[in-house]
């Protein structure tokens, strides 16, 4: 798993294999776990992801500058939704990416959370080879449904 903090856009870019994303999803669901990232040539690599349990409702995503770590904390129900979204990215064969980004009345993400972009281990969007469905205007496969 590779984690890069992008100071220009103020977000964290997460790239991982399907197995690493599934492992991260399990860690998010369970809470209280640290997953180390792989080294990177990028300008601002992070050491890993710390997942923590919290009693307050919602998920908060922060950068811990002293540990160079992405910190995901939250209650079990909110963490379960994020974990489901991560599992969906790990298994989605269409490719693409998932933005985990706060907006007013977000169903689980708390205001002030650092946005993350989770890249599919299957690459960029492409036509769905199973059904052939494709958006004629963009030539892209529609986004999969992510529970929120």
């Amino acid at each position: 798993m590779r984690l890069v903090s992008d100071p220009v856009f103020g977000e964290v870019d997460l790239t991982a294999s399907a197995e690493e994303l599934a492992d991260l999803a399990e860690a998010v669901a369970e809470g209280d776990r640290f997953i180390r990232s792989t080294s990177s040539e990028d300008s601002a690599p992070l050491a890993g992801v710390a997942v923590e349990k919290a009693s307050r409702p919602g998920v908060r995503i922060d950068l811990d500058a002293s540990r160079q770590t992405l910190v995901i904390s939250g209650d079990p129900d909110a963490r379960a939704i994020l974990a489901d979204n991560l599992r969906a990215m790990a298994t989605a064969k269409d490719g693409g990416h998932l933005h985990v980004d706060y907006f007013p009345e977000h169903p689980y993400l708390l205001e002030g959370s650092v946005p993350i972009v989770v890249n599919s281990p299957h690459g960029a969007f492409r036509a769905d080879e199973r059904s052939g469905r494709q958006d004629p205007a963009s030539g892209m496969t529609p986004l999969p449904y992510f529970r929120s």
Side-chain angles (χ1 to χ4, degrees), residues 59-135:
V59 166
R60 171 94 181 184
I61 302 174
D62 291 298
L63 277 176
D64 181 333
S66 66
R67 297 187 296 165
Q68 285 296 294
T69 301
L70 186 70
V71 180
I72 300 172
S73 63
D75 72 280
D77 292 339
R79 288 193 333 269
I81 297 169
L82 176 57
D84 286 346
N85 289 341
L86 293 170
R87 281 187 203 98
M89 280 306 295
T91 59
K93 302 297 181 193
D94 297 22
H97 59 272
L98 168 68
H99 285 265
V100 181
D101 199 355
Y102 174 80
F103 56 84
E105 298 183 33
H106 194 285
Y108 69 89
L109 197 60
L110 295 175
E111 185 174 6
S113 290
V114 172
I116 60 174
V117 177
V118 182
N119 296 295
S120 170
H122 306 289
F125 283 114
R126 61 183 180 275
D128 186 329
E129 296 165 3
R130 293 162 296 179
S131 68
R133 66 186 165 94
Q134 193 174 36
D135 176 13

Side-chain angles (χ1 to χ4, degrees), residues 132-147:
R133 66 186 165 94
Q134 193 174 36
D135 176 13
S138 68
M140 299 174 89
T141 302
L143 285 170
Y145 172 76
F146 291 104
R147 180 174 81 126

Side-chain angles (χ1 to χ4, degrees), residues 1 3 19-28 32-38 46-51 69-70:
M1 177 172 62
L3 293 163
E19 295 79 20
E20 290 169 327
L21 270 183
D23 189 42
L24 178 59
E26 189 63 30
V28 168
D32 290 336
R33 195 157 146 212
F34 181 80
I35 299 178
R36 186 170 307 283
S37 68
T38 57
L46 298 174
V49 178
V51 181
T69 301
L70 186 70

